[in-house]
Amino acid sequence: MNYLLLALKGCAMGMADVVPGVSGGTIAFISGIYENLINSIKSFDITAVKLLLKFRIKELWQHINGKFLFPVLAGVGLSVFSLAKLMTYLLEHHPISIWSFFVGLIIASALLVSKQITKWSFSTVVAAIIGIAVSWWITIATPAQTPETWWFIMLSGAIAICAMILPGISGAFILLLLGKYQFIMTAIGNFDIPVILIFGLGAVLGITSFSHLLSWLLKNWHDITISVLMGFMLGSLNKVWPWKITFETYADSHGNIHPLIESNVLPDTFETITKSPAQIGNAVMLCALGFMVIYGVEMAARIVVKLKEK
C-alpha cells in the first residue's frame, strides 16, 4: 500500500507537471514527500556513480533511497506520458474549466504550505513578497521563439526540471516561456525517442545539481525558503486565472497558433469581448473541487502517518 500511495503521489505530480502554471513540486509538498524527494535526488552523487560502476546494485539502491524514489518517479513518468495529449486537449477546448480547477489547487496548496512555517517574522514576510513578485513576473513574461537544436532541448530540460521541483513555479510554463512546451508535449505524445532522451538527459543533469542547493536551503534557512516557495504559488495565480483575452498570437515551427500576449479580465468583460459564456457556475464548482482535492490528499497523508504510528 505504501508503494501504491507513493506511485499515486507521483502520478499527481506528473499531472501537474504537464500543465503550464501548475507545479509538480506543489503536489509533492502538500502530500508530505517534498523534502524526502529532494534528499533522495541529491543522493545521485559521486558515491552513487562509484557504486554503479562497481555493479554494487543493492548498495546503490539503498544509497539513493530506491524504495521511495522508484515508485514516485514511475508514477510521474506514467502520468506524463499518458496525460500529455489529454492536457493539451483540455487546455485548448475547455480552458475556463481546467484553469478554474487549478486555481483551487494552488490556493489550497499555498494555505497548506504556509502551515510549514514555524514562526512568522519580518524576514519571512519579505521572503513571501519576493516569491510572489518573482513568480508574478514569470507569468507575464512573453514566450520566446527558440531553436530546436539538441543543445537547446537539453538546456530546456535542465531549466524546466529545476522549476518542476519548486512549489508554485511551473516547469511546463518555463517550457512555454522558452518556446518549447508544444514541441516537448508533441514529442512525448508521439514517442519521439531522440528528443525525449536529449530532454531527459538535460533534466537529469539539472535536477541532480539543483537539488543540492535546495536541500541546503531547506536545512539552513527553512522558514525563509518555505516563505519564498509559498510566494511562488500565490504569484502563479496570475497565470491560471480562467478568463483571458488574447491580443497577439505566434506560430510555432509546425504552424500551430499559440497565445503570445494575453490579459486577465473579469468574467463579464470576457463575455462582452469574446461573445462566449463565462461559465461562472462551472468555474466556481471546479475551483472548489480543486481546493477539496488538495485537502483530501493532505487528509489521506495524515491518515497514513497515523496508521504507521500505530
Side-chain angles (χ1 to χ4, degrees):
M1 285 299 297
N2 188 45
Y3 291 144
L4 178 60
L5 184 61
L6 287 173
L8 289 175
K9 291 179 180 180
C11 285
M13 288 177 61
M15 290 173 64
D17 281 333
V18 299
V19 178
V22 185
S23 170
T26 298
I27 303 300
F29 210 114
I30 60 96
S31 61
I33 64 172
Y34 188 75
E35 293 193 34
N36 199 357
L37 177 64
I38 297 301
N39 290 327
S40 298
I41 294 171
K42 190 184 69 171
S43 66
F44 283 86
D45 51 15
I46 298 298
T47 301
V49 173
K50 290 180 179 179
L51 291 173
L52 178 62
L53 293 177
K54 293 178 181 179
F55 295 99
R56 292 159 64 177
I57 305 302
K58 185 176 181 179
E59 293 178 49
L60 173 63
W61 186 257
Q62 294 175 342
H63 179 73
I64 64 173
N65 195 12
K67 289 184 178 180
F68 165 82
L69 199 57
F70 178 76
V72 172
L73 295 184
V76 171
L78 176 64
S79 186
V80 168
F81 278 94
S82 60
L83 293 175
K85 287 188 175 181
L86 174 62
M87 284 302 173
T88 53
Y89 171 83
L90 290 175
L91 287 170
E92 181 179 354
H93 297 283
H94 303 282
I96 293 176
S97 297
I98 198 69
W99 287 126
S100 298
F101 179 73
F102 292 131
V103 167
L105 289 180
I106 293 173
I107 292 175
S109 299
L111 291 175
L112 287 177
V113 167
S114 68
K115 295 180 180 179
Q116 302 291 328
I117 300 172
T118 56
K119 183 180 179 181
W120 281 96
S121 63
F122 177 77
S123 57
T124 54
V125 172
V126 171
I129 293 173
I130 291 174
I132 292 172
V134 171
S135 183
W136 191 280
W137 176 81
I138 290 175
T139 65
I140 62 176
T142 303
Q145 297 189 53
T146 50
E148 296 179 358
T149 53
W150 68 270
W151 65 268
F152 195 83
I153 295 172
M154 185 180 294
L155 178 65
S156 299
I159 296 174
I161 198 67
C162 291
M164 285 177 179
I165 61 173
L166 284 174
I169 296 292
S170 166
F173 186 62
I174 295 298
L175 285 178
L176 190 64
L177 294 180
L178 294 172
K180 286 290 166 283
Y181 177 74
Q182 194 72 21
F183 178 79
I184 296 300
M185 287 298 103
T186 300
I188 292 174
N190 296 333
F191 290 94
D192 189 335
I193 302 301
V195 171
I196 293 173
L197 288 177
I198 294 171
F199 183 82
L201 178 60
V204 170
L205 295 175
I207 198 170
T208 50
S209 57
F210 183 69
S211 59
H212 285 79
L213 171 62
L214 195 54
S215 177
W216 182 85
L217 289 172
L218 287 169
K219 182 179 180 180
N220 295 280
W221 301 89
H222 183 269
D223 282 1
I224 290 179
T225 303
I226 298 301
S227 298
V228 172
L229 298 180
M230 185 193 71
F232 284 164
M233 294 182 190
L234 294 175
S236 69
L237 287 172
N238 184 56
K239 171 59 185 174
V240 298
W241 179 253
W243 298 279
K244 301 177 184 294
I245 300 298
T246 301
F247 292 102
E248 188 175 339
T249 60
Y250 74 97
D252 61 19
S253 59
H254 301 286
N256 298 314
I257 304 299
H258 306 287
L260 182 64
I261 299 177
E262 294 180 308
S263 177
N264 293 337
V265 296
L266 294 175
D268 58 340
T269 305
F270 177 85
E271 287 188 342
T272 301
I273 295 176
T274 65
K275 307 301 181 183
S276 300
Q279 305 175 38
I280 296 176
N282 288 342
V284 171
M285 287 190 295
L286 285 165
C287 180
L289 177 61
F291 192 95
M292 290 187 292
V293 164
I294 293 299
Y295 270 85
V297 171
E298 196 263 349
M299 288 178 62
R302 287 183 181 181
I303 292 172
V304 170
V305 170
K306 289 181 179 179
L307 290 175
K308 285 183 178 180
E309 292 175 350
K310 293 180 180 181

